[in-house]
Amino acid sequence: MRVKTLLFFLFSSISFLQAQSSATSAINLGSVSGKVVDKNSKQPIPYVNISIKKDNKVVTGGITQDNGAFAIKNLAFDNYTVEFQFIGYKKQTVSITIDNAARSINMNTILLEEEAVQLEGVEIVKEKSTYEQKIDRKIINVGKDLISAGATAGEILNNIPSVSVDAQTNAISLRGNENVRVLVDGKPTNIDPAQLLKQIPSASIKQIELITNPSAKYNPEGMSGIINIVLHKNANQGFNASINNGVTFAKTPKVNSSFDMNYKVGKFNFYGNYGFNHGLQKNHGFVNSHQPNAEKTVDFNFGNKNTSHLYKVGVDFYLDDFNTLSVYTNQNIYLSSGSSTTKVDYADNSTLSDIVQNNHSHNKNPSGTYNFDYKHKFKKEGENIELEANYNRNKGTEHSQFYTVADVASSYLNDITSINNNTKINLDYTNPLPKNAKLEAGLETRIENTTNDFNLNQAYNSDFYYDRKIHSAYVTYGKQWDKWGYQVGARFENYTADAKFNAVDTNDENGNGNTTEIITDTFNDKINTVYPSGYLSYKLSDNNSFNFNYSRRVDRPSIGQVNPIREWSTPTVSSVGNPYLKPQFTNSFELNYTRKTKIGSISSVVFYRMITQEITRLVEIDPNDPNRNILSYDNFKDNKSYGAEISANLDFTKWWSANIGTDIYFKTIRGTVSSQFVEKDVSIFNGRINNTFKATKNLRFQLFGMYRGQEQGLQFLRKSMYKTDLGASYNVLKGQGTISARVSDIFNTMNFSFDGTLPYNQTGAFYWESRSVYLGFNYRFGGGKNAAIQRKQRDKNETQGGGGMM
């Protein structure tokens, strides 16, 4: 009922605003029309942006039609400046006067002249990645230097400031915290982020957005914020395409390829992207444990063959100047097969026998996203309403065989099926108001559910069903005046969750005991919450600006954190979820300062977070086996964290530029290890630098270095990690082709090593194929020119203009 009421008020507001617009139009008596053509070819140019300005402020505007014609009506008697802008052409400006003598002005033919420098074909992938700092996010436009850094999204993200990806587990963290929300093209998926980062080929990524403190317009999930991965989509006239192929040589070769194309004709823009990623990963490690009377060594060897096919196909239909209809689908087929050997060597074999366990697994994870979007632009510049529906489905199957050498009774089979469905429908309205203000309002409904079935030794063992519904409404208001700007907003959410877990009660974990009964457990939760946000900006000068922002956020437990069916298992450790987890809430504060200099820009930020009902790890001894540990999750008391970051995008000379980033975080970690409560203060320091050297017009070199400081965990201290990469790129075929090469981790120093004290003293290290050589080739073809078409705001998960806040 609340959602229906909010919907009624939203549409009532829109109708009222339109009524005001109609009343005003009665006194607007003038109009201007004409046609825009190419000065040389005399061909009409569609989608040219036209701005009607008075006193350097935009009054209204429009775009040209397919035949280059335009007509802008309802202009009051006054003096105006008409600006014509189109990518690849010089801006044209004409002054006009509308009065009783000239009510309807026909500007006849406007000739636009192309810029002196034109691209041959389409430059889809830039040579060098660029970093752009906006009011609420950092945008990284991915270039060849980052693509060649690795084969997958996870390897690219690991080279970006503020982001860390664990090379072993692929767990992602932002500003030292793993509670981060990962989106693809601004849309949620049902795939666990650790799996998702393996599945997206680096060559399919156009842009990465780091949104550390989103406004009330966006979902409040993720304490650290949002990482949005934007895949390639083009909207260029004619036919344009790009092929990117790369091979990584390490202990085993890995392939990373993509094909991007678009065909823009008339009112339609068709686009597609295909990414392919295939390779075998080799990993190994050891843990030396020192327990009283039971010192042991555990050796690990892993081999995984992963194959990913990623498709994106879509079409934009421009019905007219004011209405756009878009549909697209992302399809991902992920196949994985692996084998591992775990050897447990007990020092005292009189009480415990050594264990050698082999594991063979096969995983198949097809997923699909289907998106529909309709956007209507009103005659008023910047005013629009947008309806979007997004559906995502993921089905994962795992077949694993655990075989214990010389102990057949301890061998077992695991078959796990997981089906996840996610539906999201949102309605958004934007209205620029007088005096540089802007109002945004919207509604959203999300319905998510998952079903997991677990068979042990080809017999039913347990199943888990989880369903949650989130209904929300938001409103934001922003205003800009002189050097100041602000935006305030609030998001109202109604959250319900229902879970049911069924399990067979047996005498032992491997299913060899006698079945006695089916255990059923249920869980329900309902929360109504308000999430406020606020931004305040001050522009001291053209080169110095400050921004302070605040938002309240929530970390709802993920499916993996609440699913009581085991996530993974070894002879000594198993990981399971906790269906009784409660959401944790965070109040996040940030202060940003950006300084522009002659050689580039420098940004610094300090942040502070207050966390309630913090979710953290729980380590317990398996009640069925004192020599095994169970990893799970639980809620603890309130916590806090704070930190600082400095990043710079600098051009030292014409031939040397660099992206530099350093950060330091302070936090308190809490948890339970073997029934012992643990609390520790932790500090983490990271640093990265990516240098680009221009040897000639076509030859570039890259030198990358990173350092990740040591990090204290509940059970162990992870030692520091660092590496150095060297790369080069060379343009061929008149600039339409590029050859890239890169050597990663030249000195082979990147590995995960640790010293632990809980629940007993232990040391260990894990190694992967960090040192590698990459060779790639990119070729662009097609002769179309850019069409000045505005991309949908939600396709980039980004608002634009108005209020001075974006």
Side-chain angles (χ1 to χ4, degrees), residues 358-374:
N358 296 316
N359 168 239
H360 300 280
S361 63
H362 297 274
N363 297 268
K364 186 175 181 180
N365 297 91
S367 65
T369 298
Y370 306 88
N371 185 272
F372 167 86
D373 185 279
Y374 170 72

Side-chain angles (χ1 to χ4, degrees), residues 35-187:
K35 185 176 183 179
V36 180
V37 302
D38 185 288
K39 183 177 181 180
N40 296 321
S41 68
K42 307 304 181 185
Q43 294 295 313
I45 308 176
Y47 308 112
V48 175
N49 186 64
I50 304 170
S51 300
I52 308 294
K53 292 185 175 182
K54 181 181 181 297
D55 298 329
N56 290 324
K57 294 182 179 180
V58 176
V59 176
T60 184
I63 60 174
T64 59
Q65 302 176 14
D66 289 341
N67 61 0
F70 67 92
I72 301 174
K73 302 178 181 180
N74 301 326
L75 293 173
F77 291 174
D78 215 325
N79 298 318
Y80 298 100
T81 300
V82 186
E83 288 186 356
F84 300 88
Q85 288 184 301
F86 188 67
I87 296 176
Y89 287 83
K90 295 179 181 179
K91 181 173 69 174
Q92 180 79 277
T93 303
V94 180
S95 297
I96 63 171
T97 299
I98 297 179
D99 52 25
N100 278 319
R103 293 172 179 267
S104 299
I105 297 178
N106 187 346
M107 302 183 71
N108 297 315
T109 301
I110 303 297
L111 301 177
L112 291 191
E113 183 179 359
E114 292 187 78
E115 296 281 3
V117 179
Q118 297 186 43
L119 293 176
E120 298 184 24
V122 179
E123 180 71 11
I124 294 179
V125 181
K126 297 181 179 180
E127 288 292 333
K128 174 177 171 287
S129 298
T130 58
Y131 292 67
E132 182 181 358
Q133 182 68 54
K134 287 200 171 186
I135 194 83
D136 70 334
R137 73 193 63 203
K138 179 180 290 183
I139 298 176
I140 298 94
N141 296 297
V142 176
K144 297 186 186 73
D145 53 335
L146 280 179
I147 289 178
S148 62
T152 66
E155 291 166 316
I156 280 188
L157 285 169
N158 212 23
N159 292 288
I160 291 176
S162 306
V163 182
S164 297
V165 179
D166 189 292
Q168 288 293 112
T169 65
N170 241 36
I172 186 171
S173 61
L174 180 62
R175 289 183 172 173
N177 193 285
E178 293 184 9
N179 293 314
V180 57
R181 186 170 176 80
V182 179
L183 306 176
V184 178
D185 286 331
K187 315 298 187 301

